[in-house]
């Protein structure tokens, strides 16, 4: 051992690497929740976040390798400053995101580029600084222990185990129990402790006034984030859930539920039978038209604000089972949207899994209401899923689902229609009878069953009377011929690509 190599226990270096890896992965998982209220949660969001974080780690590893060439005390001291940088950028992430999200989304018109730029602006530097310690601590461990294979193996294992622990803690514990802002404050405090230990290992007395001031500033930034007004009323394991008053002069009369950045339903206090949106109006009106106002058994995929189940309960339309994967969404619906859970059987599990687990169940109507803009559960739009739905319907039962697609493209609509036709002999596409606006994302209701509907037009309240109708067969045939859409299967369901992205903000 040389004079430049302090006697640092390998176990301590391994522990520090594990803590830094865990903290950095917590930040990565939290990043998805943090930017979801601005750009939604989709394949594109996670692709951008993972790419940005990996780029930060890679750049940090490269810089850490250069630092590791110095003698151990100098390398540890510089690594301590890198972790100070991680603390500062992590502690300030919430404040920074609030400042830059609007300007970035306004300035960058291409949606995927906007998501990537926003992720990079806020989360590249925390990942960069967190990537520095790995090569430094590995080299210091080799110098201190003399057994290079043993030291490297231990450091790599610590990094991997720390990453696993951070991922599990963030996804299963921190976000739903602490929220994103407090989670980042905890990570900032962990970085501060690691930085202090690294300065001590560098054989300098005390942490030093500049480093101490920087760490206090980092904790202050994290505290500033905690002092900001909360974006989410509830942060669940799935969504950032918000309740928005739509009539400020009469609070508590009409409310909108927002999950991440998407509207998921509107309900009014005084008239539980009134549908406020075209998708709710079509789901309710088409179902009642097909059922001829008789009582029916319904299976609803996705709860949201529970607007349509509430309508059916008020009309005593029959028995309703709702599969809503997030219990917090149901609690929000009961708390803020006048939904009475006693009127409905609620299954807090994935809708496809729930159907698979109940082979004896039969329904007159299955309603697919889980398709919201870019947030599309791919496993609920495949041929195999539609076959499962068909098997759970009675002989004259129907499947009704909403689809949102760009009116000037209709690629997702065409693919889902083509897939439904593989399973059901009769497939209709309903929408509001008006010309589409330029660039509009249009709401459609697809109706699949053994027979066609007895009418091809309805006047429904949404919330004012509007005319809805089934698109002509010639239009659908022309669309399918033009698009040549793929049949969506469990093996191949590129629904994210088919939906694409329009403007992220209007």
């Amino acid at each position: 051992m040389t004079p430049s190599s302090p006697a640092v226990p390998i176990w301590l270096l391994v522990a520090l690497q594990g803590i830094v890896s865990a903290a950095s992965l917590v930040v990565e998982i939290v990043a998805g929740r943090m930017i979801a209220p601005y750009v939604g949660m989709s394949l594109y969001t996670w692709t951008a976040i993972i790419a940005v974080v990996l780029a930060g780690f890679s750049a940090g590893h490269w810089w850490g390798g250069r630092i590791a060439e110095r003698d151990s005390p100098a390398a540890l001291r510089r690594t301590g400053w890198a972790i100070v940088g991680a603390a500062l950028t992590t502690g300030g992430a919430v404040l920074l995101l609030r400042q830059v999200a609007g300007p970035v989304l306004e300035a960058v018109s291409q949606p995927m580029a906007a998501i990537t730029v926003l992720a990079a602006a806020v989360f590249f530097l925390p990942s960069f600084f967190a990537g520095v310690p790995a090569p430094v601590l590995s080299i210091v461990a080799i110098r201190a222990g003399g057994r290079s294979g043993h030291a490297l193996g231990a450091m790599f294992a610590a990094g991997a185990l720390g990453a696993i622990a951070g991922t599990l803690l963030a996804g299963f514990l921190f976000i739903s129990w602490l929220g994103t802002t407090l989670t980042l404050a905890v990570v900032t405090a962990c970085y501060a402790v690691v930085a202090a230990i690294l300065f001590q290992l560098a054989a300098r007395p005390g942490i030093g006034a500049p480093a101490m001031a920087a760490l206090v500033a980092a904790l202050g930034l994290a505290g500033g984030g905690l002092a900001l007004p909360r974006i989410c009323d509830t942060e669940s394991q799935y969504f950032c859930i918000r309740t928005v008053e739509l009539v400020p002069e009469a609070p508590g009369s009409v409310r909108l539920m927002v999950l991440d950045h998407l509207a998921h339903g509107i309900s009014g206090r005084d008239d539980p039978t009134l549908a406020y949106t075209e998708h709710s109006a079509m789901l309710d009106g088409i179902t009642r038209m097909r059922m001829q106002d008789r009582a029916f058994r319904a299976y609803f995929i996705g709860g949201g604000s529970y607007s349509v189940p509430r309508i059916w309960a008020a009309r005593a339309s029959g028995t309703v089972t709702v599969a809503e994967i997030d219990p917090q969404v149901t609690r929000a619906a009961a708390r803020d949207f006048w939904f009475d859970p006693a009127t409905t059987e609620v299954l807090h599990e994935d809708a496809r899994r729930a159907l698979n687990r109940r082979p004896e169940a039969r329904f007159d109507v299955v309603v697919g209401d889980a398709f919201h803009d870019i947030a599309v559960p791919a496993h609920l739009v495949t041929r195999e899923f539609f076959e499962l739905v068909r098997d759970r319907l009675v002989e004259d039962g129907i499947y009704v689902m909403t689809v949102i697609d760009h009116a000037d493209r209709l690629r997702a609509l065409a693919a889902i229609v083509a897939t439904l036709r593989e399973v059901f002999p009769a497939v209709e596409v309903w929408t509001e009878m008006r010309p589409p606006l330029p660039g509009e994302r249009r709401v459609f209701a697809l109706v699949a069953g053994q027979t066609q509907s007895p009418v091809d037009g309805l006047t429904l309240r949404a919330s004012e009377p509007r005319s809805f109708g089934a698109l002509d067969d010639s239009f659908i045939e022309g669309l399918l011929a033009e698009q040549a859409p793929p049949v969506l299967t469990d093996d191949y369901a590129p629904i994210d690509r088919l939906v694409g992205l329009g403007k992220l903000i209007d």
Side-chain angles (χ1 to χ4, degrees), residues 116 128 162 321 359 364 382 384 390 399 465:
T116 304
F128 169 74
T321 300
D364 299 290
T382 66
E384 291 84 351
R390 178 198 61 199
Y399 176 56

Side-chain angles (χ1 to χ4, degrees), residues 207-246:
I207 190 174
M212 179 62 74
L215 291 176
V216 170
L219 294 173
L221 288 172
L226 289 170
L228 290 174
R230 296 182 61 183
I231 291 180
C232 311
D233 297 331
T234 304
E235 289 186 75
S236 72
Q237 293 176 322
Y238 299 93
F239 302 112
C240 167
I241 304 170
R242 289 178 286 164
T243 299
V244 179
E245 297 284 354
L246 292 186

Side-chain angles (χ1 to χ4, degrees), residues 8-85:
V8 181
I10 289 182
W11 68 264
L12 180 55
L13 298 172
V14 168
L16 292 175
Q17 179 56 41
I19 293 171
V20 171
S21 293
S24 65
L25 263 293
V26 169
V27 173
E28 179 178 359
I29 301 300
V30 167
R33 167 59 59 236
M34 285 180 62
I35 71 173
Y38 302 95
V39 301
M41 184 52 61
S42 67
L43 176 66
Y44 304 111
T45 309
W46 278 116
T47 298
I49 290 170
I50 293 171
V52 164
V53 170
L54 289 177
F57 288 160
S58 299
H61 293 336
W62 173 81
W63 190 35
R66 294 176 65 86
I67 292 174
E69 294 177 348
R70 298 175 176 272
D71 63 82
S72 294
L76 289 169
R77 186 166 57 252
R78 288 173 179 255
T79 304
W81 277 109
I83 296 301
V84 170

